[in-house]
Amino acid sequence: MDDGQFTYMTADWLLGHEKFIEKFLQTAEIRFLKKGDILIRQGEPVDYLYLVLKGSVESYFENESGRQKITSICQRGVLVGLTGLNDYMEHHTMRCRTSAIVAVAPKETVYQWDSDMLMALIQMQTRKMKTAFAQMIHQVAQTIEGRILRLLLEAASEDEAKEYEIPVNIVFSRQEIASIVGSTRERVGQVLNELQNEKLLEIDGRDIYFYPSALRRRLEQL
């Protein structure tokens, strides 16, 4: 992913930083987590920096009414908890969307890293800010259908179906999609039903089946 490129699903932010990954893993603890496990809670101090090695972690915050807003889904190669290390309090909750494997570094260890390691962290934080800005611009410029298509295609990006062109199965509830793309559950349901009626995807509860090439062609037409 290029710096500042819009994305709902963040992955491989450390491409080109192989030495950083090597040093990180030398002292990190490897943890195997279950779906639903919490890494960091909103409003609490951050004691660890996490590197996602496998699976996905969703970032969300709760408003005053307790409603959850998913802001991003972090996949392989993404650092989780970086903002909280800077501010000491995390503004989002980080929860495993799937089972996951993460490498964990205590903040005391992070504070003792050399200048090269710290510079890599600064670059990651800068990329995160650029991506957040790009997301705001995209939300304004793109239609709801375009946002949904983009999310589904990104969620399928690590699936072999992208290469071999077989149907992809993505698991999302309408409410989750609405939270991520900035819409309502009702509007998301309407768009998904329209796409299903046009034979661009099939829906079975939370399971959504589609051919990536078909959705890419539709997105290009918007």
Side-chain angles (χ1 to χ4, degrees):
M1 181 186 69
D2 297 333
D3 287 358
Q5 177 180 334
F6 167 74
T7 178
Y8 288 115
M9 315 283 287
T10 56
D12 292 326
W13 277 8
L14 291 176
L15 286 177
H17 292 283
E18 287 74 16
K19 290 184 178 180
F20 174 92
I21 298 175
E22 181 181 351
K23 291 182 178 180
F24 190 105
L25 294 177
Q26 284 177 354
T27 57
E29 173 191 355
I30 305 299
R31 295 184 185 177
F32 298 84
L33 305 176
K34 302 184 299 296
K35 177 182 178 180
D37 282 353
I38 301 294
L39 279 67
I40 301 169
R41 294 187 183 276
Q42 178 180 339
E44 294 185 0
V46 177
D47 296 322
Y48 300 94
L49 183 64
Y50 301 87
L51 173 60
V52 181
L53 302 176
K54 186 175 183 180
S56 61
V57 176
E58 60 186 9
S59 170
Y60 70 89
F61 67 88
E62 293 186 6
N63 58 24
E64 295 179 354
S65 64
R67 190 179 184 87
Q68 295 181 359
K69 164 64 177 176
I70 300 175
T71 56
S72 66
I73 298 177
C74 305
Q75 298 176 306
R76 181 194 66 248
V78 174
L79 291 170
V80 174
L82 181 56
T83 302
L85 285 176
N86 293 335
D87 296 339
Y88 301 101
M89 288 288 184
E90 180 54 60
H91 304 302
H92 297 77
T93 293
M94 307 294 183
R95 176 177 61 198
C96 290
R97 179 175 173 81
T98 66
S99 58
I101 303 176
V102 299
V104 185
K107 66 179 181 181
E108 292 80 7
T109 300
V110 175
Y111 293 157
Q112 295 174 5
W113 282 348
D114 59 31
S115 59
D116 290 339
M117 294 286 284
L118 294 177
M119 180 58 67
L121 289 183
I122 293 174
Q123 292 172 348
M124 293 305 102
Q125 183 71 349
T126 300
R127 179 175 291 181
K128 180 179 180 180
M129 295 173 63
K130 288 181 177 180
T131 301
F133 180 74
Q135 181 174 350
M136 290 189 293
I137 298 299
H138 177 86
Q139 296 284 55
V140 173
Q142 183 61 277
T143 64
I144 299 299
E145 180 181 339
R147 299 179 203 175
I148 293 173
L149 292 173
R150 181 68 176 269
L151 173 62
L152 294 178
L153 286 169
E154 288 185 14
S157 64
E158 289 192 305
D159 198 293
E160 288 185 352
K162 183 178 181 182
E163 179 178 354
Y164 298 111
E165 199 50 49
I166 59 177
V168 173
N169 174 209
I170 300 300
V171 181
F172 272 122
S173 70
R174 288 164 173 77
Q175 185 57 55
E176 287 174 328
I177 294 175
S179 176
I180 295 171
V181 305
S183 184
T184 64
R185 182 181 182 277
E186 293 72 21
R187 178 56 178 148
V188 168
Q190 180 183 9
V191 171
L192 290 178
N193 288 336
E194 291 173 354
L195 293 172
Q196 182 169 234
N197 291 336
E198 296 180 38
K199 309 299 183 183
L200 291 173
L201 50 77
E202 292 290 334
I203 304 172
D204 182 12
R206 288 167 51 92
D207 290 292
I208 303 174
Y209 302 88
F210 59 89
Y211 287 95
S213 60
L215 294 197
R216 282 196 293 270
R217 286 193 296 269
R218 179 56 171 261
L219 183 60
E220 291 170 356
Q221 295 170 358
L222 296 180

